[in-house]
Amino acid sequence: MVRRNAERRAALVDAAIEVLAKEGARGLTFRAVDVEAEVPTGTASNYFTSRDDLLTQAGARVYERLEPGEEIIARQRASTPDRETYTVLMREVVDRVSAFRTGYLALLELRLEATRRPELRTVLTERVRADMAANVSYHEQSGLPGDATAVRLLYLAFNWLIVEQLTLPDVFSAAERDRLVEAAVERIVGV
């Protein structure tokens, strides 16, 4: 029987994210999640039908936690839709994702695991496509400079910048990272 306590389930999924970041996909077991969540042994197995279910829910949860808050969205909508605003927005994205280090590292682990698990690959592909479509739509509605291709190119560039920041943090200083964000927006958006 799968349990329904939403708060406990969220805590277990958050614990799974931490395990993925620390131990990798091979270290993700129900027992490891129980230990990380500090719950009795067997708790995670009461909430998830399988390890695949846990992997899939962890992937979805990372994306939920990376979404910008309403205050960020409201501030951006109230800003002038120019390259400077775009640069500030992109810096905030890089900072927000980098601040959730374990989430992004867990997501990288999930992407690697998705190469071996077709169901997980399907879930992640659908999620990334939906997020990309939402980002392009938001961009088009916001009046920010650039087109859909610019949004996609910035997504690709900043994903790797974030990987560098989280895995090899001494490659670029914070000041260099900021300059790279500004240069990417300037060169890709071109306005």
Side-chain angles (χ1 to χ4, degrees):
M1 176 173 86
V2 177
R3 301 288 170 116
R4 303 274 183 227
N5 181 323
E7 287 178 18
R8 173 66 60 92
R9 178 181 295 278
L12 290 166
V13 173
D14 286 342
I17 291 167
E18 296 300 314
V19 171
L20 280 166
K22 292 177 193 172
E23 306 295 329
R26 296 206 184 273
L28 184 69
T29 63
F30 286 143
R31 174 75 177 120
V33 171
D34 290 340
V35 168
E36 182 68 31
E38 298 178 351
V39 297
T41 301
T43 302
S45 63
N46 288 327
Y47 280 83
F48 305 97
T49 58
S50 65
R51 187 170 174 272
D52 284 344
D53 181 29
L54 183 58
L55 285 165
T56 300
Q57 290 192 38
R61 178 77 170 143
V62 168
Y63 283 103
E64 287 172 16
R65 289 181 59 188
L66 287 174
E67 291 177 2
E70 288 299 318
E71 68 283 350
I72 292 172
I73 293 170
R75 189 181 72 244
Q76 191 283 319
R77 287 186 175 150
S79 300
T80 305
D82 57 14
R83 190 175 73 208
E84 185 177 320
T85 297
Y86 206 155
T87 301
V88 168
L89 181 64
M90 292 299 99
R91 280 188 181 127
E92 287 175 348
V93 168
V94 170
D95 290 345
R96 184 175 60 253
V97 174
S98 296
F100 185 26
R101 183 177 191 276
T102 55
Y104 199 81
L105 293 175
L107 191 55
L108 292 174
E109 287 289 338
L110 287 167
R111 283 178 172 229
L112 291 171
E113 192 66 15
T115 66
R116 297 175 285 279
R117 297 177 179 275
E119 301 84 15
L120 182 58
R121 182 173 47 245
T122 298
V123 168
L124 291 178
T125 298
E126 289 171 1
R127 180 61 195 237
V128 170
R129 280 187 182 151
D131 284 351
M132 183 57 60
N135 286 332
V136 168
S137 175
Y138 177 80
H139 177 83
E140 290 169 343
Q141 292 171 11
S142 72
L144 286 165
D147 59 8
T149 298
V151 173
R152 291 181 183 104
L153 288 171
L154 289 170
Y155 165 84
L156 293 169
F158 293 148
N159 265 309
W160 199 258
L161 180 61
I162 292 165
V163 168
E164 290 295 329
Q165 180 69 30
L166 296 179
T167 61
L168 301 171
D170 298 327
V171 171
F172 299 112
S173 69
E176 288 174 311
R177 186 183 71 212
D178 283 347
R179 286 193 301 272
L180 287 169
V181 169
E182 184 175 349
V185 171
E186 179 182 328
R187 292 177 186 192
I188 292 172
V189 173
V191 175

